[in-house]
Amino acid sequence: MVYFLKFGASFILPPGIFIVFLFFYSIHLWKHSASGGGIYGWQRPTLRKKAAAMLMVFTLVFYLFCTPWLAEKSMSWLEDEYQPPKQVQGDVIVMLGGGAYADTPDVSGQGTLCAAPSARLLTAVRLQRQLNLPILLSGGQVYEDTGAEAKIAKRVLMDLGVPEDKILVEDKSLNTTQNARYSAEIMQEKGLKNPVLVTSAFHMKRAMLNFEKQGYKPVPFPSDYRTGRKHVFHYVKLRPSMDALYDNAVVLQETLRAMITRYFE
């Protein structure tokens, strides 16, 4: 009963309510395709039928992109590109930023990392304690109202007991391409050649491509997984969800940006 209520409720909230509206509107448009003119102003019934059919196809595709079922499969495809190595070897841990708030209250001051870089930082700290390597934090202040990612991450690392002399800061980059470029400059200056790259699993493919273009072959250590490895079908996974729509948009975005990085940058 609980699952059924969750499934039903998803169709009266966004994005489910939009799917319901588009579905019934496409049926309405098809049924009225035989009438001439009317509120649609189209004189050709075949044209109205094609429009109704196209709207129905769009609605079904949009619905699928809103389902956790499809999001789970597409995100897993992207996240499975790289696996954490069983034995990690390198001379520096490079952690990429992924968003921060400048003025939110924190334990030791103002400014906090968003969820994704917080998960990345947790992985980086554990690797640092295991390997005793320096951590290179990469990420600047992307917008006027966001936080300086690397500087906030440095404060958090020091709160967690990482010595300041084990922390390197790259705070100029605004995107993944610049993450790799400016991090490479610091690594060359410090004589570091074998980075262990920590970023979200869905972001790792594009990050690796950018670092490889700078002449590095990082050891990938993905974190911040958005889906598990075991997938069991349940009808609730067919409910429309904003989170699922976002995950599918992330997959499309990362795939497109990886193609641009590989062939055009």
Side-chain angles (χ1 to χ4, degrees), residues 44 46 76 78 81 87 160 187 193 196 203 212 225:
R44 296 174 57 190
T46 55
S76 292
L78 192 60
E81 183 79 16
Q87 292 186 337
L160 294 173
M187 287 190 288
K193 300 180 179 179
V196 179
H203 182 239
E212 288 168 1
Y225 284 87

Side-chain angles (χ1 to χ4, degrees), residues 103-255:
D103 53 2
T104 47
D106 194 23
V107 175
S108 58
Q110 282 193 324
T112 55
L113 297 175
C114 295
S118 294
R120 301 173 190 180
L121 183 137
L122 183 58
T123 298
V125 169
R126 295 166 68 192
L127 286 173
Q128 196 280 327
R129 290 183 176 175
Q130 182 183 98
L131 305 172
N132 195 31
L133 298 178
I135 299 178
L136 171 54
L137 302 169
S138 178
Q141 183 173 349
V142 180
Y143 303 106
E144 185 177 348
D145 59 347
T146 59
E149 298 172 5
K151 292 180 179 179
I152 293 173
K154 178 181 178 180
R155 190 190 76 235
V156 176
L157 285 180
M158 294 178 65
D159 288 348
L160 294 173
V162 179
E164 187 172 8
D165 61 0
K166 288 287 188 180
I167 303 173
L168 302 171
V169 173
E170 181 285 294
D171 59 358
K172 298 186 299 181
S173 57
L174 305 180
N175 55 32
T176 306
T177 301
Q178 293 182 3
N179 283 145
R181 182 188 307 149
Y182 296 144
S183 295
E185 291 177 0
I186 293 176
M187 287 190 288
Q188 290 168 7
E189 179 184 333
K190 300 291 184 181
L192 302 168
K193 300 180 179 179
N194 301 299
V196 179
L197 184 58
V198 176
T199 189
S200 299
F202 69 81
H203 182 239
M204 184 60 75
K205 182 176 182 178
R206 183 158 61 97
M208 288 289 290
L209 284 172
N210 277 284
F211 274 84
E212 288 168 1
K213 282 182 174 289
Q214 297 299 323
Y216 285 89
K217 293 284 187 180
V219 176
F221 206 103
S223 65
D224 181 39
Y225 284 87
R226 298 183 66 88
T227 185
R229 304 278 73 82
K230 183 180 180 180
H231 301 153
V232 178
F233 178 78
H234 192 283
Y235 73 86
V236 173
K237 292 184 179 182
L238 294 178
R239 75 188 191 280
S241 162
M242 290 296 293
D243 289 338
L245 180 60
Y246 173 77
D247 281 353
N248 278 313
V250 167
V251 172
L252 291 175
Q253 173 182 280
E254 288 296 321
T255 303

